[in-house]
Amino acid sequence: MSRFLSFRRLFSIIAKEAVQMRRDRITFAMMLGVPLMQLFLFGFAINSDPKGLPAALVATPEDRFARAMVSALEVTGYYRFTHPYVSAAEGEALITRGEVSFVVTLPTDFGAKVLRGDSPQILIEADASDPAVASGAISTLGTLARQALTREAGTEAETQAQQARQVDVVVHRRYNPEGITQYNIVPGLLGVILQMTMVMMTAMALTRETERGTMENLLSMPVTPIEVMLGKVLPYFVVGAVQVLVVLTAAKLLFGVPFVGSLGLLLLGVLIFVMALVVLGYVFSTLARTQMQAMQLTFFFFLPSIMLSGFMFPFRGMPTWAQWIGEALPLTHFLRLVRAVMLKGAGVTDVAQPLIILTGFALAFSALALSRFRQTLD
Amino acid sequence: MSAPPAITVTDLVKVYGSRTVVDHVSMEVAPGEIVGFLGPNGSGKTTTIRMMCGLLTPDGGSGKVLGHDILRAQRAIKREVGYMTQRFSFYEDLTIEENLRFVAGVYGLEKGAVAQALADLGLTSRKHQLAGALSGGWKQRLALAACIMHRPKLLMLDEPTAGVDPKARRDFWDEIHERAAEGLTVLVSTHYMDEAERCHRINYISYGRLISHGTVAEVVAHAGLTTVILRGGDIVAAQKRLRGQPGVDQVAPYGTDLHVIGANGAALRRAAEAVAAETGARLIPAETGLEDVFIQLMGAAQDNMS
Ligand SMILES: Nc1ncnc2c1ncn2[C@@H]1O[C@H](COP(=O)(O)OP(=O)(O)OP(=O)(O)O)[C@@H](O)[C@H]1O
Ligand SMILES: [Mg+2]
């Protein structure tokens, strides 16, 4: 242990970093200024009309009316049944995890009711935590269902088709019934703000030493790579904690965003996410030679993060290639986690996947950073 | 049997791009010795020192510092060596005390070390001043204090007295000698001749090659130069006449004196006598100074390169 990590040495580095951080007034002010500014800017909604959103179908496969419904819904372009014919429980789990945006439920006696001329019910649950998802897709539903069933029943008998028009479409907007955009944006902002400041600050960690010429001195002392890394990233956890506090308070007081999930679970997610971010910033600082380059690397990473993570546009509505890139960004997984926990009250098992992936990012970045760290000046 | 050497390196090589910046440098330093490291700007002093204290990986050669292999045991070397960089490289946005506290923490020194170092420096009253606000000479003194705080067995000082006033320089050298008497080994690079003369031995490097080493007397003797002084008469005319004469390598006015130096003693004396007679100067034989030797060596090395 003491060969690679001495707590006395680690603490000395942390103390030094903390003092330097405090003395750099402008940077210190930015750490609070950036989240506040972004909160106000993004308080305005960004709207869009996404198509091809994943959906799950809860119905019996033998039912030809169910099949007709599915194809009719897919023709609209709004729905894509990625999980056809699942159980009600599976449907519930899928929407909680955010893997589908809709769950369409047809009762088991759906076909029979249509044929009998009763008014069958269709239940459509939409994940309205992202209001953009729900709006267009839901508005087309009513008429669509009636047309589809009329066409299918028409081959049977005219009279029954008349009655089939009585089909009831019940829509549940889940998690965010009024479709308030801020509910979606503000928790996402937590991720975006952390992403921006944490990576940017730590990206300067080593380049600042190199640029000021203090690196030679630091390296001539018996510090180990892991001590330097931890010593330089740990102080930013405090900054991150302050930012989380600011955003969550603003979410509650300014935007009235509900918080239905577990705060502890959210903070665990934040902790792992911040770990991944600060270490990623540190990786940048081992790559960049100047602080300017470190900034550019940060922005090179920041832009796709904001565009492709599901922060600006619903993730499932993006083209496949963009989704692939999105999956490679820590922010994407954090957004799933924070939205699920804050808005849907998701539990540990529901967000296990993003938690594990974020941990993976943190470990992979750490390994990369330690392998990149040069203990000599060459 | 003498004690094992503090530094022993053989054939150190460092290449940057296509340039061999340090070219097969070998050096040995005994414990308790103060060794000067001299050479013109860009000759490779800093690079050599960095290789010896584990900050640069040599492209060739091998060696031991305090018994630790310079290629494999770099961390052990860093723990036991005090290295003072040529450029001030402590944190300008930390106070004097914070800088020292950082160093003390990294080396795991006990509580009183910082206060002691501040007192030794005479900086206790200014300990809350930012290091960046210190004058150049005080920065040097802070850096020196910081690198001897952990009581290293070997000090490598890269131009420690550049920009330091004469009194502080004198104090610095007195302290170095005191510590050396207690067993501290010092390798110090410098451009000052008086400092070179205060070293037990000197190494002279030029264009990456070690071209002379030994005591000051040995280095001067080994150069085999003859020096004569022309005193009085028309110095300006004499200087003009002597330049380029056979046997005359250097002509340098010192006040009303003219120092004339050359490797070929007989030819030098012939030329000097002729010019002295023409300009009405007196001819005085003189000892060759270390500086004259170095200037001669620089010229010779340049000839080698072209
Ligand atoms: N990182 C580097 N990359 C490329 N060339 C370098 C590097 N560091 C040093 N050099 C070159 O190596 C040569 C030796 O440099 P070094 O700093 O060792 O000289 P020095 O003897 O310390 O000079 P000075 O008396 O000016 O301090 C110089 O020509 C310098 O340009
Ligand atoms: Mg140098």
Side-chain angles (χ1 to χ4, degrees):
Chain A
M1 193 71 176
S2 70
R3 250 198 90 193
F4 299 104
L5 183 62
S6 132
F7 286 103
R8 176 86 193 275
R9 283 199 296 262
L10 177 59
F11 180 77
S12 300
I13 300 176
I14 292 177
K16 157 196 161 276
E17 290 293 322
V19 173
Q20 288 186 306
M21 191 168 32
R22 192 159 45 87
R23 294 246 158 88
D24 190 352
R25 289 279 158 74
I26 293 187
T27 310
F28 199 59
M30 279 279 289
M31 289 176 199
L32 280 182
V34 167
L36 286 174
M37 188 193 70
Q38 292 204 347
L39 260 178
F40 287 109
L41 287 183
F42 283 102
F44 301 101
I46 299 155
N47 243 320
S48 63
D49 191 15
K51 300 226 168 178
L53 298 172
L57 179 68
V58 180
T60 24
E62 305 83 54
D63 194 329
R64 66 191 172 87
F65 287 98
R67 287 199 298 274
M69 267 308 290
V70 168
S71 55
L73 288 174
E74 281 194 323
V75 163
T76 64
Y78 284 111
Y79 305 87
R80 191 161 43 82
F81 283 92
T82 51
H83 298 80
Y85 310 116
V86 296
S87 74
E90 284 168 333
E92 177 68 24
L94 286 169
I95 197 167
T96 309
R97 288 202 298 269
E99 281 176 36
V100 295
S101 300
F102 302 99
V103 177
V104 178
T105 306
L106 306 184
T108 39
D109 55 353
F110 184 73
K113 275 198 172 161
V114 174
L115 289 177
R116 245 190 283 126
D118 289 352
S119 302
Q121 272 195 343
I122 302 176
L123 173 65
I124 299 200
E125 292 166 285
D127 180 354
S129 65
D130 188 345
V133 166
S135 54
I138 291 171
S139 61
T140 55
L141 256 179
T143 44
L144 190 101
R146 274 182 274 280
Q147 284 165 6
L149 293 180
T150 308
R151 235 182 292 118
E152 186 65 22
T155 58
E156 294 290 313
E158 279 302 313
T159 50
Q160 280 153 344
Q162 296 293 328
Q163 282 155 332
R165 290 199 186 95
Q166 309 302 316
V167 65
D168 270 342
V169 177
V170 181
V171 175
H172 278 188
R173 286 169 182 268
R174 300 275 303 266
Y175 311 123
N176 181 8
E178 294 93 31
I180 300 173
T181 327
Q182 276 86 348
Y183 285 10
N184 183 53
I185 292 282
V186 175
L189 260 186
L190 180 60
V192 171
I193 288 166
L194 287 172
Q195 156 97 54
M196 175 145 174
T197 45
M198 293 293 110
V199 176
M200 187 161 68
M201 300 294 158
T202 49
M204 307 286 177
L206 290 178
T207 45
R208 194 171 47 219
E209 301 254 2
T210 311
E211 266 188 339
R212 295 187 185 170
T214 53
M215 197 62 174
E216 182 176 9
N217 205 0
L218 183 66
L219 290 181
S220 77
M221 296 194 241
V223 289
T224 62
I226 195 156
E227 286 160 2
V228 176
M229 181 175 94
L230 291 178
K232 283 189 170 284
V233 302
L234 288 180
Y236 292 98
F237 275 78
V238 180
V239 178
V242 172
Q243 293 186 338
V244 170
L245 196 72
V246 168
V247 175
L248 289 185
T249 311
K252 187 103 202 135
L253 300 182
L254 280 165
F255 299 105
V257 178
F259 192 140
V260 296
S262 139
L263 182 62
L265 184 59
L266 178 70
L267 293 183
L268 175 71
V270 169
L271 190 74
I272 299 174
F273 180 55
V274 169
M275 188 73 210
L277 292 180
V278 293
V279 178
L280 176 69
Y282 190 78
V283 170
F284 288 165
S285 86
T286 64
L287 292 169
R289 296 218 160 258
T290 63
Q291 295 194 53
M292 190 64 200
Q293 289 177 359
M295 281 289 266
Q296 286 165 338
L297 276 170
T298 304
F299 275 98
F300 183 75
F301 190 77
F302 181 65
L303 288 179
S305 287
I306 233 189
M307 306 300 278
L308 304 182
S309 61
F311 173 71
M312 285 221 167
F313 314 111
F315 191 81
R316 302 290 173 198
M318 298 192 307
T320 318
W321 62 265
Q323 291 195 18
W324 275 111
I325 298 175
E327 292 288 352
L329 303 167
L331 184 59
T332 307
H333 301 276
F334 180 71
L335 289 186
R336 285 178 195 161
L337 182 135
V338 70
R339 283 173 180 161
V341 173
M342 275 184 81
L343 303 175
K344 303 180 193 172
V348 180
T349 44
D350 299 312
V351 293
Q353 194 193 1
L355 277 177
I356 290 168
I357 293 177
L358 286 173
T359 310
F361 274 121
L363 292 178
F365 292 153
S366 304
L368 189 59
L370 289 176
S371 74
R372 290 265 335 157
F373 184 77
R374 294 174 294 256
Q375 273 181 284
T376 58
L377 291 170
D378 9 32
Chain B
M1 226 352 263
S2 57
I7 299 178
T8 163
V9 292
T10 33
D11 289 334
L12 286 187
V13 174
K14 187 73 195 176
V15 181
Y16 283 122
S18 60
R19 288 183 52 218
T20 305
V21 167
V22 174
D23 191 359
H24 294 89
V25 167
S26 304
M27 201 185 285
E28 194 155 308
V29 177
E33 212 179 11
I34 301 173
V35 173
F37 198 12
L38 292 100
N41 292 135
S43 54
K45 298 182 297 295
T46 300
T47 309
T48 307
I49 293 179
R50 282 176 176 169
M51 285 193 280
M52 292 192 296
C53 66
L55 275 178
L56 281 179
T57 315
D59 294 316
S62 61
K64 284 190 169 167
V65 168
L66 296 173
H68 305 294
D69 192 306
I70 57 166
L71 295 173
R72 278 183 290 273
Q74 295 172 323
R75 265 177 60 70
I77 293 176
K78 288 175 186 180
R79 252 195 308 270
E80 293 175 27
V81 169
Y83 170 52
M84 178 173 165
T85 56
Q86 177 169 2
R87 192 184 140 187
F88 181 73
S89 55
F90 282 88
Y91 299 98
E92 304 212 340
D93 51 352
L94 294 188
T95 64
I96 296 166
E97 189 183 24
E98 285 161 350
N99 268 302
L100 292 175
R101 209 184 289 147
F102 173 63
V103 175
V106 166
Y107 285 101
L109 306 181
E110 71 286 358
K111 280 253 178 290
V114 172
Q116 186 60 47
L118 280 169
D120 288 349
L121 260 178
L123 278 179
T124 309
S125 59
R126 289 161 72 186
K127 64 184 179 186
H128 295 305
Q129 197 177 337
L130 290 185
L134 286 172
S135 75
W138 275 104
K139 279 185 186 165
Q140 294 291 91
R141 289 159 82 164
L142 169 63
L144 181 69
C147 80
I148 58 179
M149 208 165 45
H150 66 286
R151 311 250 158 235
K153 295 185 200 132
L154 169 65
L155 268 185
M156 300 214 210
L157 308 172
D158 200 354
E159 300 192 26
T161 55
V164 172
D165 67 48
K167 169 78 170 62
R169 243 166 49 144
R170 173 71 59 83
D171 293 346
F172 163 79
W173 276 95
D174 288 348
E175 171 152 6
I176 292 291
H177 272 275
E178 260 169 54
R179 301 247 173 159
E182 294 163 10
L184 178 73
T185 311
V186 183
L187 178 70
V188 52
S189 83
T190 178
H191 290 294
Y192 296 114
M193 289 308 129
D194 59 315
E195 294 191 347
E197 281 164 358
R198 296 194 69 165
C199 295
H200 296 133
R201 284 196 305 121
I202 56 174
N203 287 288
Y204 184 86
I205 187 176
S206 184
Y207 291 96
R209 260 174 261 164
L210 196 67
I211 51 178
S212 188
H213 61 97
T215 63
V216 171
E218 280 167 3
V219 168
V220 172
H222 185 251
L225 296 182
T226 305
T227 302
V228 295
I229 295 176
L230 293 181
R231 183 166 293 167
D234 189 349
I235 292 269
V236 181
Q239 189 181 354
K240 269 199 200 120
R241 288 272 290 109
L242 278 167
R243 282 253 155 85
Q245 290 265 0
V248 177
D249 296 328
Q250 299 175 41
V251 188
Y254 283 79
T256 56
D257 286 357
L258 196 63
H259 290 213
V260 187
I261 299 134
N264 184 342
L268 176 84
R269 258 182 233 106
R270 257 198 310 280
E273 269 161 18
V275 172
E278 277 174 38
T279 59
R282 261 189 312 134
L283 202 63
I284 308 165
E287 296 275 300
T288 304
L290 191 57
E291 182 161 276
D292 304 324
V293 172
F294 288 158
I295 287 167
Q296 190 82 10
L297 290 174
M298 277 185 214
Q302 242 150 355
D303 293 345
N304 285 351
M305 292 297 284
S306 54

